[in-house]
Amino acid sequence: MTRRELREHCFKMLFCADFYPAEETRQQLECYFELSQEDETTPEGILNILHQARFDEEDHRYLLQKSEAVTAKLPELDSRINEVAQGWKTKRMGKVDLTILRLALFEMLYDQEIPEKVAINEAVELAKKFGQKESPAFINGVLARLVSAQGTS
């Protein structure tokens, strides 16, 4: 599985887990792997596969470890985001944008294998795919301010 695919799955896992109490995080992350396929049927009768998860043991382990690592750092990540997101504290942000910001900031701060610019670019791509029209610009702006304010490079 490519890094981009892994990142997208990690985003989905974090997004889903955010709807549950913190003490259920591990259980919710594991549920992601149990639901191997999610689909819907259009009014025209066409089956669309929305989510299909097939992971080898290495990908499963990587995703679980990374998702848990991000979750463990949420208070710090949210605090840093709140410092620079003018007029948009994390409590007011949509869950898609917030999850993308958390994941990108985690990669920028703690994943030495991912260059800062790559983390930002990938976050913008996730925002294009899952966010609203304004999400890519919002995500890029907040992450750029984080780079300037925190000196995370």
Side-chain angles (χ1 to χ4, degrees):
M1 191 171 289
T2 67
R3 278 198 178 256
R4 179 169 280 182
E5 291 169 327
L6 288 168
R7 183 178 288 105
E8 185 174 315
H9 284 292
C10 188
F11 159 76
K12 289 178 183 179
M13 291 172 69
L14 292 167
F15 177 80
C16 292
D18 199 34
F19 286 92
Y20 295 89
E23 58 271 7
E24 294 181 27
T25 298
R26 172 72 184 217
Q27 177 185 0
Q28 294 304 318
L29 293 174
E30 284 289 353
C31 282
Y32 186 81
F33 299 104
E34 295 169 12
L35 303 172
S36 62
Q37 181 172 309
E38 179 183 353
D39 54 46
E40 70 176 4
T41 304
T42 67
E44 298 81 25
I46 299 170
L47 182 68
N48 285 330
I49 296 176
L50 302 173
H51 166 80
Q52 192 166 26
R54 290 193 182 115
F55 305 100
D56 62 24
E57 187 61 33
E58 182 180 338
D59 291 342
H60 181 261
R61 187 174 39 255
Y62 172 84
L63 285 168
L64 196 54
Q65 287 174 347
K66 185 166 185 175
S67 297
E68 288 179 326
V70 173
T71 301
K73 296 288 186 184
L74 288 183
E76 176 192 347
L77 298 172
D78 286 358
S79 175
R80 288 179 179 241
I81 293 167
N82 282 330
E83 289 174 10
V84 300
Q86 301 162 344
W88 284 99
K89 298 300 179 195
T90 55
K91 293 199 182 293
R92 290 189 59 218
M93 289 180 192
K95 287 193 182 290
V96 169
D97 291 351
L98 180 57
T99 303
I100 293 169
L101 286 170
R102 287 169 168 169
L103 179 56
L105 182 56
F106 176 85
E107 290 180 345
M108 292 162 61
L109 294 172
Y110 299 106
D111 194 330
Q112 304 305 314
E113 294 180 20
I114 300 174
E116 196 171 78
K117 290 181 181 184
V118 171
I120 293 170
N121 182 61
E122 291 295 321
V124 170
E125 291 303 314
L126 282 172
K128 288 177 185 176
K129 185 169 185 176
F130 296 103
Q132 298 180 6
K133 181 181 175 185
E134 309 81 21
S135 294
F138 176 72
I139 297 293
N140 191 51
V142 172
L143 293 175
R145 284 193 295 276
L146 281 162
V147 168
S148 297
Q150 304 297 332
T152 56
S153 25

